[in-house]
Amino acid sequence: MKLMVTGGAGFIGSNFVRYVYNNHPDVQIVVLDKLTYAGNKANIEDLLGDRVQLVVGDICDAPLVDKLMSEVDACVHYAAESHNDNSLIDPSPFLHSNVVGTYTLLEAARKYDVRFHHVSTDEVYGDLPLREDLPGHGEGKGEKFTTESRYNPSSPYSSTKAASDMLVHGWTRSFKVRATISNCSNNYGPYQHIEKFIPRQITNILSGITPKLYGTGKNVRDWIHTEDHSRAVWTILTKGKIGETYLIGANGEQDNKTVLEMILKQMGKSPDDYEQVKDRPGHDLRYAIDSTKLRTELGWTPQFTDFESGLKHTIDWYTEHEDWWRAEKDAVEAKYAKQGQ
Ligand code: NAD
Ligand code: DAU
């Protein structure tokens, strides 16, 4: 199989490329990545060669996308602007990459009848109430996102991802593009950009900077190790039913304050050694995924079920790979400082 992976030099995309490289030796991969601030050739440098090629380019570049799509059997689409906080400062790159980019890829997939998998987010469904605000503490029906949940995005980032999902639906139904969609919860693991919550706090501690918690820290995210996400996407690509959406999650709900306390403790600090900063406008309260469909229909199960141990490996990775993040740290923190965060 010849596979195009868009955004394959970013966090989740590069972990997917590594996963396929290690587990499926018959697959050739062409990564299409613009190498924005979030993309890094170093993430896949050791894999480049006969089986993995990197094309530096924009998914909105129709002639380039047309040429690459004509040469592959399948496309897994990760490329996107991915950070909510950035989308609140300037939404325009989100419209470009997430909406026009997905449209450009769909047109080419349609022309060459390429199998297309669209990687999306649970944030398209908006947020859920906190468990303590639900009757019976949320153990009943309806307390998690399912494929039946209503699209209700909150931020420029999540609304452009919702728009991209809708494009995939339209192209699947009207043009018979052989597409699937997955909506996954918050990933953690190696190669995540240090603007994001977990790596920001780890690298803050490693830099002698006090960790920063938005608001009270009661907001809940449903954490999944990026390698479990990669296996889920591979499973959907190879076994999923065309036209279907699958939700990916590993029952990893944690509130931000608890995650930060775990990081502090694991790094030998006092659990209250953090600063509460300005909250994110429109901050989604809680995400939680019901992944029953993926588990029962396609047989996927997560392997990283111990969050504290996954977190420990992630802390070790950032500690051992300071050369990977150090050069960007000052600029990332300066940007946050300007926002009061
Ligand atoms: P990331 O920001 O780390 O990486 C995005 C990659 O896309 C970068 O390599 C960047 O250079 C590339 N890119 C951006 N715009 C491009 C363009 N116009 N043309 C070509 N390449 C471009 O993001 P991530 O966290 O790895 O997320 C990857 C995908 O997974 C996104 O679609 C995101 O919505 C989705 N997702 C992320 C999470 C998460 O927790 N991070 C969860 C669910 C879904
Ligand atoms: O749910 C999936 C989504 O998860 C993906 O679609 C996004 O691409 C990905 O970035 C992530 O979005 P979040 O906004 O949930 O992730 P982030 O790492 O930015 O923040 C996680 C939580 O931590 C969120 O509630 C905000 C909070 N936070 C974040 C930062 C950067 C803090 O408390 N302090 C911080 O410094």
Side-chain angles (χ1 to χ4, degrees):
M1 188 207 284
K2 193 159 178 199
L3 184 63
M4 169 150 75
V5 179
T6 73
F11 163 46
I12 309 182
S14 67
N15 276 288
F16 177 76
V17 170
R18 192 168 293 280
Y19 171 81
V20 175
Y21 181 89
N22 288 334
N23 294 282
H24 301 284
D26 49 331
V27 178
Q28 280 210 319
I29 301 169
V30 54
V31 170
L32 173 58
D33 198 300
K34 192 177 171 182
L35 299 184
T36 67
Y37 80 95
N40 189 344
K41 189 178 175 191
N43 296 2
I44 50 168
E45 187 113 56
D46 58 318
L47 309 179
L48 296 177
D50 287 351
R51 284 183 50 213
V52 182
Q53 290 150 42
L54 169 64
V55 176
V56 179
D58 194 320
I59 54 169
C60 300
D61 179 344
L64 174 65
V65 165
D66 185 279
K67 178 183 173 292
L68 295 176
M69 201 68 91
S70 73
E71 296 165 355
V72 297
D73 306 299
C75 172
V76 179
H77 173 34
Y78 288 94
E81 287 294 331
S82 68
H83 194 37
N84 276 299
D85 292 327
N86 293 344
S87 80
L88 296 165
I89 298 167
D90 179 11
S92 63
F94 291 76
L95 271 296
H96 173 84
S97 296
N98 302 3
V99 182
V100 179
T102 303
Y103 156 73
T104 308
L105 291 163
L106 282 168
E107 280 292 79
R110 169 192 176 193
K111 183 169 168 190
Y112 297 106
D113 190 25
V114 167
R115 170 80 174 86
F116 190 80
H117 180 70
H118 179 60
V119 177
S120 193
T121 168
D122 57 359
E123 294 192 17
V124 299
Y125 300 116
D127 61 356
L128 296 160
L130 295 175
R131 278 185 183 276
E132 63 252 36
D133 295 335
L134 284 165
H137 298 289
E139 295 310 321
K141 200 170 181 286
E143 98 277 15
K144 291 190 174 195
F145 296 132
T146 70
T147 50
E148 307 305 311
S149 299
R150 184 169 73 91
Y151 271 56
N152 188 28
S154 310
S155 74
Y157 161 67
S158 54
S159 52
T160 57
K161 289 299 290 187
S164 68
D165 291 11
M166 292 301 147
L167 294 177
V168 178
H169 280 291
W171 264 245
T172 306
R173 173 148 173 177
S174 296
F175 302 130
K176 307 288 174 240
V177 170
R178 292 181 294 127
T180 42
I181 299 176
S182 55
N183 299 85
C184 187
S185 60
N186 285 62
N187 284 222
Y188 72 99
Y191 300 103
Q192 185 167 31
H193 195 278
I194 57 167
E195 68 189 349
K196 303 292 191 331
F197 179 53
I198 288 179
R200 182 182 182 206
Q201 312 315 333
I202 296 171
T203 55
N204 275 349
I205 295 168
L206 291 172
S207 308
I209 300 169
T210 306
K212 309 284 189 278
L213 188 67
Y214 292 178
T216 59
K218 66 182 177 183
N219 307 64
V220 171
R221 296 295 180 263
D222 188 356
W223 295 100
I224 179 172
H225 194 278
T226 188
E227 199 175 310
D228 281 330
H229 187 184
S230 292
R231 274 189 312 103
V233 167
W234 179 260
T235 304
I236 298 165
L237 180 71
T238 52
K239 296 206 262 174
K241 203 169 144 204
I242 301 303
E244 291 290 314
T245 291
Y246 298 89
L247 266 54
I248 308 173
N251 295 333
E253 280 184 71
Q254 299 282 354
D255 68 54
N256 295 337
K257 182 168 173 283
T258 305
V259 173
L260 184 49
E261 287 167 353
M262 282 181 193
I263 295 172
L264 282 157
K265 274 195 243 166
Q266 289 201 15
M267 294 183 76
K269 301 281 174 194
S270 163
D272 57 5
D273 192 4
Y274 62 83
E275 192 184 330
Q276 280 181 304
V277 294
K278 209 174 86 185
D279 206 353
R280 176 184 283 171
H283 198 173
D284 278 341
L285 276 178
R286 175 172 157 255
Y287 308 138
I289 290 273
D290 179 344
S291 58
T292 308
K293 177 174 170 181
L294 177 62
R295 292 171 193 245
T296 54
E297 291 183 15
L298 305 186
W300 172 86
T301 48
Q303 290 176 357
F304 291 78
T305 47
D306 180 348
F307 179 67
E308 288 208 61
S309 142
L311 200 54
K312 161 100 180 52
H313 284 117
T314 307
I315 292 169
D316 290 346
W317 190 88
Y318 282 91
T319 307
E320 287 156 17
H321 292 81
E322 189 165 336
D323 54 329
W324 183 84
W325 55 266
R326 174 55 70 194
E328 287 181 85
K329 185 66 185 167
D330 287 350
V332 169
E333 288 310 309
K335 198 163 88 176
Y336 275 122
K338 254 178 145 173
Q339 297 161 217
Q341 293 178 318

